[in-house]
Amino acid sequence: MNPKNKFIGASAAIVVILGFGILGFKLLTEWTWFESFYFTLITITTIGYTEPANLTEHGRYFGTLLIVVGVGTLGYALSVAVQSVVSLEIVSSLGKRRLMKDLLDLKDHYIVCGAGRVDRRIGQEITDRGLDCVLIETEDRAEPFESDGYLVLKGDATNEDVLKSAGIERASGIVCAVSSDPENLYITLTARDLNEEIYIVARANEESVIPRLTRAGADRVVSPVISGSRQMTHMLLKPAVADFMELASMLKTCD
């Protein structure tokens, strides 16, 4: 079991033993929910304040059971939780070192500064051709890509240091496909400044941004809105041509 799952399991065990104690005292005594929680807490943590005067005999029996079961469970769960946190820190540190080593070994690779499903698809297309690819994603969106086995660098693609960490000086090409046009423009400018030979493909959400991206150094600019509308128009007005183009694209991919 990985450290994250162990931590979740330990946390769940603590919640379960607390719930068990609270419910038991609530059913066997006339205490309020808070009183049941408070006495459960001081029991399983072995603090042991003075026993309440209105504790019934059944409550004492249950308290004995809770001490035997709860103290051991809490101690074990806390030790597992601490070990898991330490393990996660170690794994994270080793993972970062391994990632940086892998990035340093890359040459003539491709960098994708993505926007969710877009960079996932681009990354898949690149890796399917046996080429090296690095995805740059923010911390909150990186985990699904890491789980799929992609080489992911967590960070802001508009940050020059992040692009350098991705090996921008040694890369063959970069895709600027984040959801913001200003960010794509800035990434394009930075990438061209760091590597004059790199091939840049940029995404434009607004048609007015296309010439700006070209002037900034993009070799090709793709607008999903324009491309999608043209493709749908061809399918509507010239379905035979659209089918031929799709077949030609499939054959080229197979090659």
Side-chain angles (χ1 to χ4, degrees):
M1 184 181 296
N2 62 52
K4 184 177 181 180
N5 290 338
K6 284 184 178 181
F7 180 79
I8 294 173
S11 301
I14 295 174
V15 172
V16 168
I17 200 63
L18 274 172
F20 174 70
I22 294 169
L23 183 61
F25 282 125
K26 180 63 179 174
L27 294 175
L28 297 172
T29 67
E30 296 181 355
W31 294 345
T32 63
W33 285 107
F34 179 75
E35 289 173 331
S36 300
F37 164 75
Y38 183 70
F39 196 67
T40 298
L41 187 63
I42 66 175
T43 299
I44 63 176
T45 55
T46 67
I47 293 176
Y49 291 148
T50 303
E51 179 184 295
N54 60 345
L55 182 61
T56 64
E57 184 176 357
H58 290 94
R60 291 191 181 94
Y61 289 146
F62 181 76
T64 302
L65 174 64
L66 185 61
I67 291 172
V68 174
V69 177
V71 173
T73 301
L74 180 64
Y76 176 75
L78 288 176
S79 66
V80 170
V82 171
Q83 291 175 8
S84 300
V85 170
V86 173
S87 297
L88 283 171
E89 290 295 328
I90 294 174
V91 169
S92 177
S93 178
L94 291 176
K96 289 179 181 178
R97 290 183 181 180
R98 189 180 301 112
L99 172 62
M100 297 312 297
K101 182 180 182 302
D102 291 340
L103 292 174
L104 288 173
D105 291 339
L106 290 179
K107 186 179 180 182
D108 297 329
H109 58 290
Y110 295 88
I111 301 172
V112 182
C113 310
R117 290 175 295 178
V118 174
D119 57 338
R120 180 192 296 270
R121 186 59 186 267
I122 296 172
Q124 181 180 347
E125 293 284 348
I126 294 173
T127 54
D128 285 348
R129 287 166 170 77
L131 302 172
D132 293 321
C133 177
V134 179
L135 304 185
I136 300 179
E137 269 294 355
T138 55
E139 186 83 27
D140 58 322
R141 304 177 68 170
E143 185 175 352
F145 301 95
E146 291 178 319
S147 300
D148 290 343
Y150 291 104
L151 188 60
V152 182
L153 178 62
K154 299 176 185 177
D156 183 357
T158 61
N159 188 312
E160 182 176 322
D161 291 334
V162 173
L163 290 175
K164 287 182 177 179
S165 296
I168 187 73
E169 295 97 339
R170 306 182 306 276
S172 291
I174 183 172
V175 174
C176 310
V178 299
S179 55
S180 167
D181 282 338
E183 289 184 0
N184 282 326
L185 183 60
Y186 189 81
I187 296 169
T188 300
L189 282 167
T190 306
R192 181 58 69 203
D193 182 58
L194 295 174
N195 186 342
E196 294 182 357
E197 303 299 325
I198 195 170
Y199 195 86
I200 302 175
V201 178
R203 169 181 173 175
N205 296 301
E206 297 293 335
E207 189 172 354
S208 60
V209 182
I210 295 177
R212 298 178 187 176
L213 285 166
T214 302
R215 289 196 297 270
D219 296 285
R220 291 287 185 273
V221 179
V222 178
S223 172
V225 175
I226 297 176
S227 300
S229 61
R230 285 177 179 172
Q231 186 176 5
M232 293 175 70
T233 302
H234 288 157
M235 289 181 175
L236 178 65
L237 302 179
K238 299 180 180 180
V241 176
D243 290 341
F244 174 78
M245 294 298 294
E246 184 175 356
L247 178 61
S249 178
M250 291 176 61
L251 291 174
K252 185 176 181 181
T253 302
C254 293
D255 292 340

